[in-house]
């Protein structure tokens, strides 16, 4: 797990390491979660694997939940995080990743 203080730091961390999922705070200094997600999606391009990005916010403002998918995010969590919701989210997205063709190819090449 890596914690970033702002969106720019998150982008730098993604350049250095690969992650299974990103919990993206929507309100960060310098570059907010929407801007950082747009930059990540731009880097991914149209093909290849898509990193699951889940919006994380303490301010469950009206319209944010709807704005997140339009901004390239795959899910939405509010703070304080409820352990059961986080567990369900991790199960959903990490199971999808394990079932992806890229993951199966990687597993086969390791045998």
């Amino acid at each position: 797990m890596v914690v970033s203080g702002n969106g720019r730091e998150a982008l730098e961390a993604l350049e250095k390491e690969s992650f299974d999922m990103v919990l993206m705070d929507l309100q960060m200094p310098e570059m907010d979660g929407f801007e950082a997600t747009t930059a990540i999606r731009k880097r991914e391009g149209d093909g290849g694997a898509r990193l699951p990005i889940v919006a994380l916010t303490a301010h469950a403002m009206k319209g944010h939940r709807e704005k997140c998918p339009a901004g390239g995010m795959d899910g939405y969590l509010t703070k304080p995080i409820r352990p059961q919701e986080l567990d369900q989210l991790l199960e959903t997205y990490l199971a999808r990743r394990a079932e992806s063709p890229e993951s199966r190819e990687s597993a086969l090449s390791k045998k």
Side-chain angles (χ1 to χ4, degrees):
M1 177 170 68
V2 173
V3 177
S4 300
N6 62 58
R8 291 196 198 290
E9 289 177 11
L11 292 176
E12 290 170 9
L14 287 165
E15 287 176 2
K16 295 175 187 174
E17 290 183 58
S18 91
F19 296 91
D20 293 321
M21 174 183 280
V22 172
L23 296 177
M24 184 70 75
D25 197 324
L26 296 180
Q27 297 178 325
M28 295 182 285
E30 289 187 49
M31 177 185 272
D32 70 20
F34 289 108
E35 293 170 307
T37 299
T38 298
I40 292 166
R41 295 299 182 224
K42 198 176 281 189
R43 287 180 186 175
E44 290 175 338
D46 293 330
R50 178 180 163 108
L51 177 65
I53 300 175
V54 176
L56 186 61
T57 184
H59 305 287
M61 295 169 51
K62 187 174 182 164
H64 262 179
R65 185 178 292 273
E66 294 76 23
K67 189 176 177 185
C68 290
M73 296 179 194
D74 302 293
Y76 184 87
L77 276 178
T78 58
K79 296 178 198 173
I81 297 173
R82 292 173 213 56
Q84 185 177 5
E85 286 180 18
L86 179 59
D87 287 346
Q88 182 179 12
L89 185 102
L90 291 171
E91 247 179 65
T92 299
Y93 289 102
L94 299 182
R96 284 184 195 166
R97 187 169 179 94
E99 294 170 1
S100 75
E102 295 86 12
S103 295
R104 280 178 276 185
E105 278 181 28
S106 177
L108 290 174
S109 67
K110 290 179 183 177
K111 288 186 177 182

